[in-house]
Amino acid sequence: MTNATRAPWMRALALVAVASAGLALSGCSLLPMFGGGTATRDDSGEVVEGNDSTDVFTLQVGDCLNDATAAETVETIPTVPCDEPHDSEIYGSYIIEGDEFPGTDAVIEQADAACLEAFPGFVGIPYSDSIYYYSYYFPTEGSWANGDREVLCTIYDEAGQVTGSLENIGR
């Protein structure tokens, strides 16, 4: 999976553009070769004990991440319970349709549109009125070939870590 940031938009495109050439060729960087772990969850699926290397393919909406220093392409992400300080929170999931990889630009376009659309329903106000930003993890050509179609939308505060969920925060 690849991480893109939506603050500001042009910076995200630049980062993705620089990384896309290498990403298209690096399917192995997307598949956990050493098998990342999983976070400990309660019966409702909420993380109750984090993991410094949670496999990205086990992440769920509602998970809180310490991903401020995440690389462009990730296999594992540190997860923590949301009541602990964290960098971001997964607020949405979107599945890209199709059998053939549509290209990095098309994936980014769909991911950005889906995460922007889901933002107000999670935060409670439009993105343009919010103090928070969004980012997303999206499939690369390598992970697509192995069945990955999921975009994970994350919300974060550029000022630093937050504690607790940002759901319905209204700011």
Side-chain angles (χ1 to χ4, degrees), residues 1-121:
M1 288 199 135
T2 298
N3 179 17
T5 303
R6 177 70 166 117
W9 170 245
M10 293 309 292
R11 187 175 84 194
L13 285 181
L15 292 173
V16 172
V18 169
S20 66
L23 296 175
L25 302 173
S26 64
C28 66
S29 68
L30 306 169
L31 302 175
M33 297 186 325
F34 303 108
T38 59
T40 303
R41 299 177 183 279
D42 63 16
D43 291 339
S44 70
E46 187 175 319
V47 172
V48 292
E49 185 178 326
N51 183 316
D52 286 338
S53 57
T54 300
D55 185 321
V56 295
F57 296 104
T58 66
L59 296 175
Q60 301 175 21
V61 172
D63 287 356
C64 291
L65 316 173
N66 278 331
D67 60 347
T69 60
E72 291 295 323
T73 303
V74 295
E75 298 172 2
T76 62
I77 293 286
T79 53
V80 296
C82 290
D83 61 359
E84 295 180 13
H86 55 275
D87 300 322
S88 68
E89 177 180 356
I90 299 173
Y91 71 89
S93 171
Y94 173 74
I95 303 299
I96 298 174
E97 300 295 326
D99 293 329
E100 292 194 26
F101 184 68
T104 301
D105 291 343
V107 168
I108 290 169
E109 184 178 309
Q110 288 184 54
D112 193 62
C115 292
L116 179 61
E117 182 179 329
F119 191 91

Side-chain angles (χ1 to χ4, degrees), residues 149-168:
R149 304 290 189 275
E150 186 175 32
V151 171
L152 295 174
C153 305
T154 62
I155 184 172
Y156 67 98
D157 185 344
E158 276 196 331
Q161 290 190 319
V162 298
T163 302
S165 176
L166 296 178
E167 187 171 12
N168 295 316

